[in-house]
Amino acid sequence: MARDKAKPCELDQEKYDADDNVKIICLGDSAVGKSKLMERFLMDGFQPQQLSTYALTLYKHTATVDGKTVLVDFWDTAGQERFQRMHASYYHKAHACILVFDVQRKITYRNLSTWYTELREFRPEIPCIVVANKIDDRPVSYLLSTADRKMTQKSFNFAKKFSLPLYFVSAADGTNVVKLFSDAIRLAVSYKQNSRDFMDEVLQELENIDLKREEEEEEEEEEMPDKAQLGRHQSPTPS
Ligand SMILES: Nc1nc2c(ncn2[C@@H]2O[C@H](COP(=O)(O)OP(=O)(O)OP(=O)(O)O)[C@@H](O)[C@H]2O)c(=O)[nH]1
Ligand SMILES: [Mg+2]
């Protein structure tokens, strides 16, 4: 019992102490390893079974950036063909994006441009990291270790074309996973602190208007009974 009680308190305390709150989304075709990457980072584990994500999964994580506590929401969803495109709310107020492809399946690399176009429709400015996953798979490890650099760079030119950072990772053996997520969190925090993103400003403005309206309505409600009373007292009495 005492244990159950302690949990929400701990969470509240984290929220109370947190300096910042960021949202990081993950995009890419089905089975590129989006969920496995999160699993590796958050649980430091990897279960190789094939399980596609059916609905949205939200992982909450607490990180420390420059001595400050940051609450991170990682959003994971299925990149399957059955979802022609992501719902707008998936992108809403995201501060960074991790865009994943599978080094063993060319089609997942070709589809990056579709994902990227959609991302930029909703979030024109947020930092985006391109991730080449599954480098533990034998043929690619071989390709990378024999250092046929020209060939590797040519085949993964997408990131260069859009000036995006490219990370070679493996959810299976953990290569570069911590670095990827730590950098994504750092970029998200820095974006949130420094961005002059037009859409963010519009959204903030709308929120302020809503808050103002709510406050005004509350004030009006408070004033109403007085007005009614005033009306009754001042009604002209027949002389
Ligand atoms: N060898 C290897 N296999 C991986 C790696 N990452 C993921 N996989 C495998 O790839 C398959 C798909 O991984 P998921 O993480 O479920 O892929 P996803 O992108 O979340 O797929 P959806 O939820 O359908 O969008 C699983 O069978 C994993 O075991 C990796 O780094 N190396
Ligand atoms: Mg998944």
Side-chain angles (χ1 to χ4, degrees):
M1 272 302 272
R3 245 181 168 188
D4 289 340
K5 266 187 179 173
K7 273 188 180 168
C9 290
E10 268 168 29
L11 259 180
D12 287 346
Q13 190 61 43
E14 276 173 9
K15 280 218 163 91
Y16 185 77
D17 291 340
D19 293 304
D20 239 319
N21 202 324
V22 292
K23 170 177 171 179
I24 299 178
I25 55 173
C26 206
L27 290 178
D29 280 9
S30 185
V32 293
K34 301 181 295 294
S35 303
K36 295 290 164 196
L37 283 167
M38 297 216 182
E39 197 176 296
R40 165 62 71 182
F41 177 65
L42 298 166
M43 277 80 89
D44 197 18
F46 180 88
Q47 303 292 325
Q49 81 273 21
Q50 175 88 49
L51 261 184
S52 188
T53 310
Y54 279 94
L56 172 78
T57 312
L58 206 143
Y59 300 94
K60 296 215 169 263
H61 174 69
T62 309
T64 308
V65 177
D66 298 331
K68 291 179 182 167
T69 311
V70 180
L71 291 178
V72 189
D73 284 344
F74 286 112
W75 289 48
D76 176 31
T77 194
Q80 262 181 357
E81 298 67 35
R82 62 175 182 264
F83 296 99
Q84 282 293 306
R85 38 191 287 136
M86 293 299 174
H87 193 268
S89 57
Y90 190 69
Y91 296 97
H92 183 68
K93 286 191 168 180
H95 300 105
C97 172
I98 295 173
L99 178 56
V100 189
F101 73 99
D102 174 348
V103 283
Q104 296 299 336
R105 286 186 298 138
K106 223 176 180 174
I107 182 70
T108 68
Y109 173 73
R110 273 196 240 119
N111 286 339
L112 286 183
S113 55
T114 313
W115 289 112
Y116 191 64
T117 307
E118 189 176 290
L119 168 72
R120 288 309 181 213
E121 256 177 56
F122 293 98
R123 303 299 283 149
E125 313 247 336
I126 62 169
C128 175
I129 297 179
V130 181
V131 175
N133 188 34
K134 307 196 189 181
I135 59 162
D136 59 286
D137 265 14
R138 263 203 340 122
V140 172
S141 322
Y142 172 75
L143 180 75
L144 292 173
S145 59
T146 51
D148 189 352
R149 297 198 124 222
K150 255 190 187 162
M151 159 78 179
T152 316
Q153 274 165 15
K154 195 171 173 223
S155 42
F156 300 132
N157 221 6
F158 173 86
K160 208 171 161 196
K161 187 171 156 198
F162 294 99
S163 305
L164 303 171
L166 170 64
Y167 288 52
F168 289 90
V169 311
S170 163
D173 67 17
T175 306
N176 272 336
V177 173
V178 172
K179 178 160 176 45
L180 162 68
F181 281 90
S182 312
D183 289 357
I185 294 169
R186 198 169 274 280
L187 286 170
V189 170
S190 141
Y191 170 82
K192 192 177 179 186
Q193 284 167 353
N194 305 318
S195 115
R196 304 301 308 159
D197 190 310
F198 175 68
M199 275 313 287
D200 280 354
E201 282 180 22
V202 172
L203 286 170
Q204 193 55 54
E205 214 37 58
L206 286 173
E207 264 178 23
N208 290 345
I209 291 171
D210 280 350
L211 278 174
K212 243 183 164 178
R213 200 174 288 154
E214 272 171 29
E215 277 169 17
E216 279 168 8
E217 277 170 7
E218 272 170 24
E219 271 171 26
E220 264 175 35
E221 270 170 28
E222 277 169 20
E223 280 171 16
M224 279 300 259
D226 291 348
K227 273 185 191 161
Q229 254 186 349
L230 206 67
R232 271 206 303 278
H233 288 298
Q234 283 185 340
S235 58
T237 39
S239 51

